[in-house]
Amino acid sequence: MKRKSIALAAACMALLFAGCQKKASDRVKIRWFVGLGAGSDEPTYAPQKAVVDKFNASQDEIELVLEIVDNDQAFQTLATQISGGNAPDVVGPVGIRGRDSFKGAWLDLDPLVKKYGFNLSQFDESMVEFYRDPDDGLIGLPFGIYPSYLYCNKELFEEAGIPLPPKNYGEKYVDENGKEWTWDYDCVRRLAMKLTVDANGNDATEAGFNPKNIVQWGFGIVWGDARGYGTLFSPGTFVARDGTAHIPQDWLDAWKWTYDGMWKDNFIPTGPYSSSDILSNGSWGESGKIAMFQCHLWYSGYAKMDYDWDVYPMPSYKGNVTAKMHADTFEIAKGSKHPDEAFKVLEYLVTTAADDLLNIYGGMPAITAKQDAFLDKFFKEKYPHVTVNTDVIRQSVQYADNPNHESWMPSFQESSTVYTEFWNNLINNAGLDVEAEAEKLRVNLDRVFSSAAK
């Protein structure tokens, strides 16, 4: 009897073990595709795998499977998977340009947000709206963000005896005229001209100024392009609602302002100057030779700025402020066979795992409660010699450009080539009619858009 009891117990244990094994094998597999943005370089592999292991150990419903593809092959690999009906479930981190290269491929998350009561109020409302596509709905959740604002070389302002820009959005510029902080010709333009200096010490407002021998400029966008400079004045897109190409009027205004700034008023570096040694081969902020420049938070991590600098609000245009935004997120593919489980993974990545992932990828947390600690630590470690007004960085989030300056266009690559050629023409050639060149751009883009629609 004793032997029978032992045998029976052993049999029960075997059945129990087999049941556990079956339960583990019955987990829903969710594929996480990495490669469109950060995360495809070898040093990030192990930290990302650790995030996956933590998730898998935290529950017994889902098996998260990490798929890392080299960035050079990621776009083609994902396109092949989607077209072949083998789409991964979760894709990211990915920025707006990468996301919109697969227009129409992403799931609207609104029904899942409502179904599971996901708390969107932990993010700035403007960032939630930032991820809403007018055609496809809420196709991402806020994760890692890179606001933009003005960087100012305080030493150049002090040397010129010129007051610095206002410290907060909505404040006036404190000069002799008490002007609103705007892109208008009699505010930022006039200020930038005074801060533009030639080799003889003349500024761009003085009769003896020599535009062929400039050693310091008043303003520019680091690595700016046609869409970036247009967005200084307002958000926009080349794609009209009917699918044809159009040029937003505010963008045309911004291009005229910029073109005058380069070739008439001389406060913005032209093409020949922009990649020169004096401007650190395009990384203008590192040169110390530009008084005000617009760029994103990521530039602070990239650049080496040894002078005294701080950050300031973006000026307004026609009463509205736009602060260009770069942002990473995660998407759920429409082709996912397990959208509910994919959403649970997505929720985990943007909340519980956010700190670990942002340590891997970089970026400011989109969760507002975590932003103060991140910014304080980031600037103290990277730039202990300056005191940065981080309030401006947080405030800039509210003015994110929507539609985004990297958003979708038909035949994305060809369209990008067309507007890049237009912009290269403007920055390298004086004496152009900007309106006429913009009309040529519209015609060329419309040709591309029409071909893509066939």
Side-chain angles (χ1 to χ4, degrees):
M1 288 294 294
K2 192 172 183 179
R3 288 182 180 176
K4 288 183 178 179
S5 298
I6 293 172
L8 182 61
C12 289
M13 289 298 292
L15 287 171
L16 181 61
F17 180 74
C20 289
Q21 287 292 91
K22 184 178 180 182
K23 186 176 181 181
S25 66
D26 281 346
R27 287 190 181 200
V28 174
K29 285 185 171 59
I30 294 297
R31 296 164 51 210
W32 172 19
F33 184 100
V34 176
L36 293 184
S40 65
D41 51 324
E42 197 277 333
T44 67
Y45 293 178
Q48 289 176 108
K49 180 62 166 55
V51 169
V52 170
D53 291 343
K54 282 183 183 179
F55 176 78
N56 287 337
S58 71
Q59 46 75 55
D60 59 8
E61 177 190 359
I62 300 167
E63 180 187 355
L64 183 56
V65 179
L66 180 63
E67 297 180 5
I68 300 177
V69 179
D70 186 85
N71 186 258
D72 291 338
Q73 285 83 46
F75 281 82
Q76 186 57 51
T77 299
L78 182 59
T80 300
Q81 291 183 358
I82 292 173
S83 63
N86 186 36
D89 301 283
V90 176
V91 177
V94 59
I96 300 302
R97 187 182 182 93
R99 180 198 76 179
D100 282 8
S101 294
F102 296 90
K103 174 76 170 173
W106 312 119
L107 192 68
D108 180 2
L109 301 177
D110 263 326
L112 291 167
V113 166
K114 293 173 184 175
K115 180 177 180 178
Y116 292 104
F118 181 75
N119 178 22
L120 292 176
S121 68
Q122 61 191 304
F123 310 113
D124 190 287
E125 183 179 355
S126 65
M127 286 312 303
V128 175
E129 294 306 310
F130 183 80
Y131 290 104
R132 289 192 190 278
D133 183 276
D135 300 315
D136 300 322
L138 182 65
I139 55 175
L141 296 177
F143 170 62
I145 61 177
Y146 304 88
S148 71
Y149 34 80
L150 283 186
Y151 291 79
C152 291
N153 185 330
K154 295 170 70 175
E155 295 176 11
L156 298 185
F157 275 80
E158 183 178 358
E159 183 179 312
I162 293 174
L164 286 158
K167 287 184 173 294
N168 296 288
Y169 284 94
E171 294 179 357
K172 291 185 177 181
Y173 178 53
V174 184
D175 69 352
E176 66 273 16
N177 299 313
K179 291 287 184 182
E180 299 289 339
W181 186 231
T182 71
W183 292 113
D184 294 342
Y185 279 78
D186 63 346
C187 190
V188 172
R189 167 187 172 270
R190 180 172 52 84
L191 173 62
M193 289 179 69
K194 288 184 177 180
L195 288 162
T196 301
V197 180
D198 68 13
N200 294 319
N202 298 312
D203 71 52
T205 67
E206 296 178 316
F209 177 78
N210 182 4
K212 295 182 179 180
N213 199 6
I214 302 175
V215 296
Q216 174 185 308
W217 288 261
F219 175 75
I221 297 180
V222 174
W223 297 305
D225 63 8
R227 294 205 287 180
Y229 273 97
T231 302
L232 290 177
F233 279 21
S234 74
T237 174
F238 287 130
V239 188
R241 289 301 299 173
D242 63 0
T244 61
H246 80 133
I247 306 298
Q249 182 59 50
D250 287 352
W251 281 18
L252 181 58
D253 294 345
W255 294 341
K256 290 178 180 178
W257 184 91
T258 301
Y259 192 75
D260 283 349
M262 288 188 289
W263 297 107
K264 176 184 174 184
D265 301 321
N266 304 297
F267 64 83
I268 298 174
T270 61
Y273 274 122
S274 63
S275 58
S276 63
D277 289 343
I278 193 174
L279 283 170
S280 297
N281 302 304
S283 184
W284 299 348
E286 294 188 272
S287 71
K289 300 297 184 182
I290 188 159
M292 298 180 287
F293 64 94
Q294 186 272 343
C295 203
H296 296 261
L297 175 63
W298 53 258
Y299 191 74
S300 303
Y302 167 89
K304 184 177 180 181
M305 297 180 284
D306 294 330
Y307 50 86
D308 188 15
W309 59 274
D310 202 352
V311 300
Y312 297 87
M314 294 298 293
S316 65
Y317 182 68
K318 296 180 180 177
N320 298 311
V321 175
T322 306
K324 216 154 53 77
M325 176 66 74
H326 287 163
D328 287 333
T329 188
F330 298 90
E331 314 286 343
I332 296 178
K334 280 184 179 178
S336 172
K337 297 177 178 60
H338 307 285
D340 288 80
E341 290 82 2
F343 184 77
K344 291 178 183 179
V345 170
L346 185 66
E347 181 177 2
Y348 180 84
L349 295 178
V350 303
T351 56
T352 305
D355 289 344
D356 289 338
L357 289 174
L358 287 171
N359 282 335
I360 301 169
Y361 307 139
M364 173 174 153
I367 297 174
T368 56
K370 296 185 175 184
Q371 291 173 356
D372 283 346
F374 166 82
L375 291 171
D376 289 345
K377 182 174 183 289
F378 176 81
F379 286 108
K380 283 178 182 176
E381 290 181 354
K382 179 69 176 177
Y383 294 102
H385 69 286
V386 299
T387 300
V388 177
N389 180 15
T390 55
D391 286 345
V392 162
I393 299 175
R394 286 187 294 271
Q395 291 168 16
S396 293
V397 174
Q398 301 170 32
Y399 303 101
D401 55 323
N402 192 5
N404 185 256
H405 62 287
E406 294 187 326
S407 61
W408 173 81
M409 299 177 291
S411 192
F412 211 130
Q413 189 56 55
E414 188 176 0
S415 297
S416 297
T417 299
V418 168
Y419 82 71
T420 298
E421 290 174 352
F422 158 79
W423 194 246
N424 285 339
N425 188 28
L426 259 60
I427 68 174
N428 286 297
N429 296 290
L432 297 176
D433 182 332
V434 176
E435 287 199 28
E437 296 301 323
E439 176 58 17
K440 292 178 187 176
L441 171 63
R442 186 198 64 77
V443 170
N444 289 334
L445 285 173
D446 200 55
R447 171 182 51 79
V448 174
F449 293 0
S450 297
S451 296
K454 292 179 181 178

